[in-house]
Amino acid sequence: MDSLETNIMPILAIVVAIAAALVLTFLLRFAANQAFRKIPDFQQRSKLAKAPVFVVLLSIGLRIALGATATGYPWFEPVNFALMVGLIAALCWLMLAALVVAERLVLRHFTRRVTDSKRRRRLTTQISLGRRVISALVITLAVAGLLLTIPEVRALGTGILASAGLISIVAGLAVQSSLSNVFAGVQLAFTDALRIDDVVVVEGLWGRVEEITMTYVVVRVWDERMLILPSTYFTTTPFENWTRNSPKIMGSVEFDVDWQAPVAQLRQHLAELLAETPLWDGRTGKLEVTDATNGEIRLRIVVSANDSGDLWDLRCLIRESMLEQIQSLHTQSIPRQRWEQGPINDVSATRNRPTPSIELV
């Protein structure tokens, strides 16, 4: 009877530990939802941490339960070791989930309160990259903790420390490129040189920064392709950032017309067109003659918009409207080539004249 009770006790302890972990997880989640009930969507956003909290509590409960009821069993040591490894992994999982939840809440808070687009994009970039840096440190510490739970690895610690100088040199040479990308990514985020949602021109392609990590930057180009570039590209290669100071931007439309084009009427048509479209932000809108050579004049229209997307649509609208205006009302403005016929060459005319006949008397 005593033997049967002894065998049942670990099983009962495991059941109690599972039940206690479920109850504590529910209570902790309920308490967190009540404490942060003023934060919108907190309950939905914190679901990510529910599973790791349960695993952490379960690992702790199983270790306590088995330590009190199953220390004399031969399977206790390997199970206890597995529970220790699971606890370290679960703590790492919980930290990563907490960082993601905190990032979402902070970004949502600043997105609602910060109206300046430049500052909001800078905060988004820095908070996202900061979360990635901390996550990398947490994973590194978790791996180190897992290795230290193995006695053989702890025994190798002395030898590793003794050869740390050589190892550091070899490792530095091996991961030099990766480390340079990591430092470049941190530099981009915290020097405010590049931000998420910035409009850039890289490798001759126009695109928007989609993601900034510690080692690479993802740029979504205009045709929806993803251009992935190492972080060192943006610290060593010149690139265009159209939204560095402000998303507002100016652009130009150029076209050639005939000398007979009515510039004043075309300028008036441009003013009417800009007044009717919401794509124009009202800052700049002018038409100027920038060149007049070879029988044609070049008209340049400079306009402004709130961002690069509106500017692209506005330039296309102006180009199409001016083309329609010239084709329908000002056909004399269409570029043309002129030739002028000069006098006939006297030499050629004499050469083609018939030779007179000569008679001998």
Side-chain angles (χ1 to χ4, degrees), residues 29 33 40-49 101 104:
R29 180 167 173 78
N33 291 334
D41 300 334
F42 175 80
Q43 184 174 357
Q44 182 179 1
R45 295 177 182 272
S46 62
K47 286 182 179 179
L48 190 63
V101 173
R104 292 178 179 177

Side-chain angles (χ1 to χ4, degrees), residues 291-304:
D291 199 1
T293 56
N294 298 326
E296 296 177 351
I297 60 175
R298 173 158 298 180
L299 301 182
R300 182 183 184 188
I301 299 175
V302 180
V303 291
S304 60

Side-chain angles (χ1 to χ4, degrees), residues 29 84 146 200 220 240 271 300 337 355:
R29 180 167 173 78
M84 175 62 70
L146 291 174
V200 296
R220 182 190 294 271
E240 296 182 25
R300 182 183 184 188
Q337 299 292 333
T355 304

Side-chain angles (χ1 to χ4, degrees), residues 13 50 195 243 245 325 335 359:
K50 181 179 179 180
R195 299 176 296 264
T243 55
N245 296 321
Q325 180 78 3
E359 292 184 3

